[in-house]
Amino acid sequence: KKKTVSFSTMPNDRKINSTAACISFMLEGCELKKVRSNSRMYSRFFVLDADMRSVRWEPSKKDSEKAKIEIKSVKEVRVGKKTPVLRSNGLSDQFPDECAFSIIYGDNYESLDLVASSADVVSAWVMGLRYLVSYGKHTPAAPGTGHPSLRTSWISSVFDLADLEKSGRIPVSRAVQLIKALNPGMKTSTIELKFKELQKASERPGAEVACDLFVEAYCELCTRPEIFFLLVQFSSNKEYLGLKDLLTFLEVEQGMEGVTEEKCLEIVGKYEPSKEGREKGYLAIDGFTRYLLSSDCSIFDPQHRKVCQDMAQPLSHYYISSAHSACLLEDNFWGRSDISGYISALGLGCRSIELVLWDGPEGEPVVYTSPSAASCVPFRAVVGLIDQHAFAASAYPLILCLVVRCSAAQQRLAAQCLRKTLGEKLYLEPPNPAASYLPSPEQLKGRILIKGKKLPPGCEDSEGEVSDEEEGWELARRLGQEDREGPEGGGPRRLRLSRELSELVSLCQAVPFQDFESSRRGQRYWEMCSFSEVEAGRFANECPAELVSYNKRFLSRVYPSPMRIDASNMNPQDFWKCGCQMVAMNYQTPGLMMDLNAGWFRQNGACGYVLRPAIMREEVSYFSANAKDSLPGVPAQLLHLKVISGQNLPKPKGSGAKGEVVEPYVCAEIHGIPADCAEHRTKTALQSGDNPIFDESLEFQINLPELAVLRFVVLDDDYIGDEFIAQYTIPFECLQPGYRHVPLQSLAGEPLPHATLFVHVAITDRRGGGKGHRRGLAGRRGRRVREYTSTKATGIKAIDEVFRTATQPLREATDLRENVQNALVSFKELCGLTPAANMKQCILTVAAWLLHSDSAPSVTLNLAERYPPMEAQGPIPDLLRKVLTAYETMIQTSRTLIESADAVYAKLIQAQQAG
């Protein structure tokens, strides 16, 4: 991987944490690059006039009166490459998006395009300019003077409560504790250092601090500039969010629906610390920060915290959370069997557990996971434990996979123990031969199914022989424990099975797998096969479509290769993409594979069952997991991820040698079908302390969203090897859009207190069909040949002719959709927004231009009409005319789609039914 170094040009000791700081930075001035329309860049010194009425630059060929922009003529300040000049091809690779900004000014909406040395400098200029544009007409006498702000008076009141002696001073140690209580996660040493600095600067050393110094320390330590910047963007008075501002933020940025002012008042009441703010319905920076960090604003969609999928489909239509050798707490070979492994697996929502039964010394069967394990657990104890904990985390069926390695006599005891202990919970009803699919998880709620071998129907004896191709023999062979009477000539192994145990098996009868053709003809829906990881991997690579098709009706279980003696895990995605329901994981081994498994099963209320994508369940559907690009009938999506900052990142474990310094970077990975797997990393944040700023945008194309998982990994950039700091794994379908905090976890999946990443998430439909280009969204339209969905020939003439009638409607459907998507993107770009923006943001932007315009052109939007027209009253500048034209195109293409869709859809359905 490339090592990247980032230089920040904002002096380190200077934290921009208020509008006043931005304005004083602009009054001093700094060097920015001015971009001309011919794409050439010139370095100029930009400065805000002392009267705060205009921005000037020098040197310039123009006379000094021309080389300036008056604040009152500014219509809008845009961050990023959001004007035609900055988007032009010659430039887009020369500097990152976050270092560019544009000032749109004058009645003709001209743009002054600028590039700064860092994102911090951009933030200072943009925040300061936006403040001055709002307050140009009544600029405050000087920033920071006048009556104390909502925040200052709140912090002072906290200080007064702590000043028990009412002397106007409190001990430094108490001040440190106070700030720590208000900002959990902050290091004591950081706070102490800040007090020392401020005491030294104000020449007031000593063991006590006064109120003004306490307020200053709090503001410098506890203001996150990136959140302050966000607040200023949405606030109508630049100090706090009123109810209307908060409502706009929630609807427009966070994508929340049905937000009311009452809901906003509730949020203010819950998170605003100052009494005055709660009474007046204001959310200031501290309340806003608390809200963004709260679970109400989590990146994980709260709908997925409870069971939210259809649970009435056949069992074979779900992925089932499965454990392999759950009772082993360490690796397979030297591990010790311990009963608590079962409790933790069941507590995590695991719904399939493997039990290997061996002959026990006391004449009672025991569970070893391998004969070398130092201790064994009586089978009776394990069953008792399962009875207690089976449905603690999930009410849906639990499958016990029995692997029998004990004598028929001990099998009888095992069967009696299961019947006696589990009682009514055991599912013993014989399968219904008239049905063609397994019952649903809903129908089997609260039941325990036994997976195992069954005696052949004609066998009347108390025991009989069955073939045995189950896992476990390789291990036994390596330990010299295998049955010496193995068959000569290497045929399939035989096993003596008792009738009592055979009778407990109903819906999950284990049978050997021959080939896909035999299964299609002769396998019954209640019979299931187990595959070793190697065998399943071969099918996944050589015949993925057949494996998907097989798994529509039958359950399949994949178990790890016996070569994994360190109990490492296989990648479950390799088998999920082919529809395999049960991928047995070593729950005791943390790491990437277990993160994927744990993250994946969180999406349906952590109940252990996840419904597979429709493309893998429907009778008539063709899906191959190794597709290289978008899939027929599944709209691809683009994930736009901005990694903004990190909070309270811990040091990597065992990294004493490096001292206090952590130099983190973030890796975002997508795991899914091969076409979706990708990873991008941010720059390394150098010397950043525990709260690094990354400010970097990453983009991923997702072809099968229902199978994609996003994993954030935070690593410490080190010469010797990058060390793991934290991770978080989340299914793509559970992502919430907008500004979100990611709750980081340790390698073992435990939450790390107060450690978070602050990100912005946006998801859009992939534009314009065809392959998603890396330069992607702003690629010139119209150059690319459209890709139309085609049909796959079956080779049966009559069927192919029926499906050929779908070619034309498929083309029409693609055109209708692509035309709307292209028109949408054009409109967004003209508004100066990215394709990830939504309609509300576009309309708000146009409204803001009109408000800041002296000549005040009037534009009406008639919402009473079904297709609302946007019309100008009187003459309007050129850019605004282009925006109105783009809006009209968008409305017209949408109208065409809405009015033609039903007819096109009917033709497609007709062809499919006839087929």
Side-chain angles (χ1 to χ4, degrees):
K1 282 179 194 166
K2 277 210 315 272
K3 296 274 178 189
T4 51
V5 179
S6 55
F7 299 97
S8 173
T9 50
M10 186 62 86
N12 246 356
D13 51 344
R14 173 154 185 188
K15 198 160 176 190
I16 297 280
N17 59 7
S18 66
T19 327
C22 297
I23 291 174
S24 56
F25 177 76
M26 291 160 64
L27 288 165
E28 287 167 34
C30 75
E31 201 163 278
L32 298 170
K33 289 195 171 79
K34 183 167 178 271
V35 186
R36 291 258 179 92
S37 52
N38 59 6
S39 294
R40 298 184 63 177
M41 298 207 272
Y42 303 89
S43 276
R44 297 286 181 262
F45 188 79
F46 281 76
V47 65
L48 175 67
D49 266 359
D51 64 2
M52 298 198 250
R53 298 243 160 96
S54 47
V55 173
R56 299 177 180 277
W57 59 94
E58 54 197 33
S60 169
K61 293 197 181 71
K62 302 176 179 167
D63 60 60
S64 63
E65 278 312 297
K66 294 262 176 68
K68 72 169 193 182
I69 288 179
E70 290 196 354
I71 297 290
K72 67 171 192 235
S73 72
V74 174
K75 299 278 183 276
E76 186 194 359
V77 186
R78 295 180 189 173
V79 187
K81 302 172 197 170
K82 305 240 180 83
T83 61
V85 172
L86 290 175
R87 278 201 191 104
S88 68
N89 295 340
L91 283 176
S92 47
D93 297 340
Q94 291 183 30
F95 48 87
D97 194 62
E98 40 276 351
C99 288
F101 70 106
S102 307
I103 302 172
I104 312 292
Y105 66 97
D107 287 340
N108 291 325
Y109 294 81
E110 295 164 71
S111 73
L112 171 63
D113 297 301
L114 302 168
V115 177
S117 51
S118 79
D120 293 342
V121 176
V122 173
S123 296
W125 276 94
V126 172
M127 206 184 298
L129 283 166
R130 284 178 176 167
Y131 181 86
L132 292 169
V133 169
S134 302
Y135 285 116
K137 319 244 179 338
H138 43 256
T139 306
T145 60
H147 69 150
S149 70
L150 205 62
R151 183 183 203 194
T152 317
S153 39
W154 166 66
I155 301 166
S156 308
S157 71
V158 170
F159 179 89
D160 293 341
L161 285 173
D163 178 10
L164 306 171
E165 297 77 30
K166 299 290 170 251
S167 61
R169 308 172 69 76
I170 62 172
V172 173
S173 59
R174 196 183 302 164
V176 170
Q177 288 315 107
L178 208 51
I179 288 184
K180 210 169 152 61
L182 293 170
N183 201 332
M186 190 175 281
K187 285 187 182 155
T188 310
S189 55
T190 313
I191 308 172
E192 286 168 348
L193 195 66
K194 177 56 71 184
F195 278 121
K196 280 196 183 116
E197 267 173 43
L198 293 176
Q199 285 181 322
K200 191 176 173 189
S202 62
E203 297 177 353
R204 291 189 285 177
E208 296 192 314
V209 291
C211 184
D212 60 334
L213 203 102
F214 179 76
V215 171
E216 191 179 347
Y218 179 86
C219 290
E220 287 194 18
L221 286 166
C222 303
T223 309
R224 283 176 45 193
E226 71 277 28
I227 292 187
F228 184 73
F229 187 47
L230 194 58
L231 178 113
V232 169
Q233 214 174 318
F234 281 89
S235 158
S236 36
N237 73 348
K238 311 302 167 203
E239 281 296 330
Y240 52 76
L241 296 172
L243 294 181
K244 286 226 169 18
D245 302 332
L246 181 56
L247 191 119
T248 305
F249 170 74
L250 296 176
E251 281 198 335
V252 168
E253 270 310 328
Q254 305 297 85
M256 282 170 70
E257 288 173 7
V259 191
T260 58
E261 286 203 7
E262 290 78 58
K263 173 74 184 154
C264 294
L265 200 56
E266 202 179 295
I267 290 173
V268 172
K270 193 169 173 185
Y271 297 105
E272 173 53 43
S274 73
K275 186 165 179 256
E276 186 190 349
R278 290 196 298 273
E279 284 168 0
K280 294 184 174 167
Y282 297 155
L283 196 61
I285 178 71
D286 299 286
F288 189 43
T289 306
R290 286 178 179 188
Y291 171 63
L292 288 173
L293 277 165
S294 74
S295 59
D296 286 348
C297 203
S298 157
I299 188 167
F300 189 90
D301 185 342
Q303 289 183 338
H304 288 271
R305 290 197 187 126
K306 47 188 189 298
V307 174
C308 55
Q309 296 176 344
D310 173 9
M311 300 304 283
Q313 303 262 347
L315 211 53
S316 60
H317 287 183
Y318 297 84
Y319 296 112
I320 303 171
S321 176
S322 305
H324 178 249
S325 30
C327 76
L328 264 195
L329 285 189
E330 292 144 29
D331 65 44
N332 273 339
F333 245 69
W334 314 112
R336 53 192 201 337
S337 295
D338 178 336
I339 222 155
S340 65
Y342 290 113
I343 302 180
S344 67
L346 289 168
L348 292 168
C350 174
R351 297 285 83 197
S352 160
I353 282 181
E354 175 191 49
L355 301 176
V356 187
L357 304 187
W358 300 82
D359 278 333
E362 317 278 303
E364 260 196 57
V366 292
V367 174
Y368 281 112
T369 24
S370 74
S372 78
S375 65
C376 54
V377 184
F379 180 66
R380 187 178 299 283
V382 177
V383 178
L385 199 79
I386 289 171
D387 181 51
Q388 265 179 308
H389 297 274
F391 301 106
S394 165
Y396 292 100
L398 174 68
I399 300 171
L400 297 184
C401 303
L402 297 188
V403 180
V404 178
R405 294 281 164 269
C406 59
S407 63
Q410 295 208 4
Q411 290 173 30
R412 284 187 199 98
L413 290 172
Q416 286 160 16
C417 167
L418 283 166
R419 274 185 192 269
K420 188 177 161 200
T421 315
L422 301 178
E424 291 293 299
K425 293 179 190 151
L426 264 188
Y427 184 88
L428 301 171
E429 293 151 40
N432 171 8
S436 14
Y437 281 99
L438 287 161
S440 69
E442 190 57 50
Q443 290 166 307
L444 296 169
K445 246 181 170 175
R447 305 305 289 272
I448 295 176
L449 310 179
I450 305 290
K451 169 198 173 275
K453 287 279 168 193
K454 219 167 161 53
L455 291 174
C459 174
E460 297 295 325
D461 304 335
S462 63
E463 56 186 71
E465 274 204 348
V466 290
S467 71
D468 180 19
E469 53 304 291
E470 285 292 326
E471 57 211 279
W473 278 121
E474 299 90 336
L475 204 53
R477 186 174 313 120
R478 252 190 298 162
L479 294 156
Q481 295 268 331
E482 89 270 40
D483 183 0
R484 297 280 185 282
E485 297 146 38
E488 301 299 320
R493 251 163 216 294
R494 309 298 291 169
L495 167 81
R496 298 293 295 169
L497 181 68
S498 83
R499 170 168 298 285
E500 279 97 325
L501 203 56
S502 166
E503 282 171 351
L504 296 181
V505 176
S506 159
L507 291 177
C508 298
Q509 184 181 338
V511 295
F513 177 78
Q514 258 98 38
D515 56 66
F516 291 118
E517 189 48 44
S518 316
S519 296
R520 201 168 69 229
R521 276 205 293 250
Q523 191 172 337
R524 291 165 301 185
Y525 72 83
W526 61 86
E527 295 175 330
M528 64 175 285
C529 301
S530 290
F531 301 93
S532 80
E533 166 189 357
V534 178
E535 189 183 14
R538 195 178 75 242
F539 292 144
N541 288 327
E542 291 170 11
C543 41
E546 278 97 325
L547 189 51
V548 170
S549 204
Y550 171 85
N551 284 322
K552 284 180 186 177
R553 276 192 64 201
F554 308 116
L555 284 176
S556 60
R557 179 171 185 274
V558 181
Y559 57 90
S561 152
M563 301 315 289
R564 293 183 181 273
I565 56 172
D566 56 351
S568 60
N569 274 308
M570 46 192 171
N571 185 343
Q573 285 274 3
D574 291 344
F575 307 104
W576 289 339
K577 70 181 187 193
C578 295
C580 297
Q581 297 86 350
M582 299 155 78
V583 181
M585 303 294 284
N586 287 308
Y587 270 60
Q588 71 275 22
T589 312
L592 163 64
M593 304 314 171
M594 206 50 220
D595 290 346
L596 291 176
N597 193 70
W600 178 251
F601 282 106
R602 223 178 267 146
Q603 67 183 294
N604 190 23
C607 76
Y609 285 81
V610 167
L611 189 61
R612 293 188 320 194
I615 197 167
M616 292 186 177
R617 309 190 308 262
E618 288 162 355
E619 263 318 332
V620 182
S621 66
Y622 169 77
F623 167 69
S624 163
N626 298 341
K628 292 287 175 278
D629 191 39
S630 59
L631 301 161
V634 182
Q637 301 197 309
L638 280 172
L639 169 64
H640 314 263
L641 192 63
K642 186 173 190 186
V643 181
I644 304 168
S645 59
Q647 289 72 45
N648 306 315
L649 298 181
K651 276 170 39 179
K653 278 215 164 77
S655 60
K658 264 187 87 170
E660 284 299 305
V661 188
V662 174
E663 298 192 330
Y665 65 93
V666 178
C667 219
E669 310 165 344
I670 292 285
H671 298 266
I673 59 169
D676 290 345
C677 291
E679 91 176 41
H680 297 308
R681 58 162 284 179
T682 65
K683 312 187 274 299
T684 298
L686 295 175
Q687 304 290 331
S688 61
D690 313 322
N691 302 312
I693 296 277
F694 301 105
D695 231 339
E696 226 168 308
S697 302
L698 315 171
E699 189 186 288
F700 298 91
Q701 176 177 315
I702 318 276
N703 294 298
L704 185 55
E706 289 175 281
L707 260 196
V709 175
L710 168 64
R711 181 172 187 255
F712 295 94
V713 193
V714 187
L715 295 156
D716 184 15
D717 199 336
D718 201 1
Y719 296 117
I720 303 160
D722 298 345
E723 293 189 84
F724 175 91
I725 296 175
Q727 63 86 23
Y728 181 72
T729 310
I730 178 170
F732 181 79
E733 300 275 287
C734 298
L735 284 171
Q736 290 222 85
Y739 289 93
R740 306 284 173 185
H741 280 92
V742 176
L744 294 171
Q745 298 179 339
S746 69
L747 192 59
E750 281 126 19
L752 294 167
H754 311 299
T756 51
L757 284 179
F758 186 44
V759 299
H760 181 266
V761 176
I763 296 164
T764 55
D765 286 337
R766 192 181 75 198
R767 158 184 174 180
K771 297 221 180 343
H773 288 248
R774 282 302 327 133
R775 295 255 46 86
L777 294 167
R780 301 282 28 105
R781 269 174 308 288
R783 299 276 167 83
R784 207 163 61 223
V785 180
R786 236 173 228 180
E787 283 186 11
Y788 293 101
T789 300
S790 55
T791 50
K792 185 175 186 287
T794 59
I796 302 166
K797 195 174 169 212
I799 291 181
D800 288 342
E801 276 174 7
V802 170
F803 279 123
R804 205 164 292 132
T805 60
T807 311
Q808 192 47 41
L810 279 171
R811 284 186 78 92
E812 286 172 40
T814 306
D815 287 337
L816 287 169
R817 191 174 68 196
E818 305 291 322
N819 293 345
V820 171
Q821 287 183 352
N822 288 340
L824 268 168
V825 173
S826 301
F827 178 57
K828 289 173 187 177
E829 284 184 355
L830 280 166
C831 291
L833 297 166
T834 66
N838 57 39
M839 241 340 91
K840 287 178 177 157
Q841 287 163 317
C842 298
I843 300 294
L844 278 174
T845 304
V846 178
W849 294 349
L850 297 167
L851 284 175
H852 294 149
S853 184
D854 284 346
S855 55
S858 158
V859 173
T860 60
L861 184 60
N862 181 359
L863 293 175
E865 295 199 19
R866 185 170 178 200
Y867 299 101
M870 200 193 293
E871 290 161 350
Q873 315 296 316
I876 52 167
D878 190 37
L879 177 74
L880 208 53
R881 178 167 293 106
K882 282 186 183 159
V883 169
L884 293 185
T885 311
Y887 175 83
E888 183 54 30
T889 311
M890 182 194 75
I891 290 290
Q892 286 314 325
T893 52
S894 303
R895 181 177 187 159
T896 313
L897 180 136
I898 291 165
E899 291 173 355
S900 326
D902 289 348
V904 176
Y905 183 66
K907 285 184 209 163
L908 288 171
I909 289 298
Q910 196 181 343
Q912 190 184 8
Q913 284 172 346

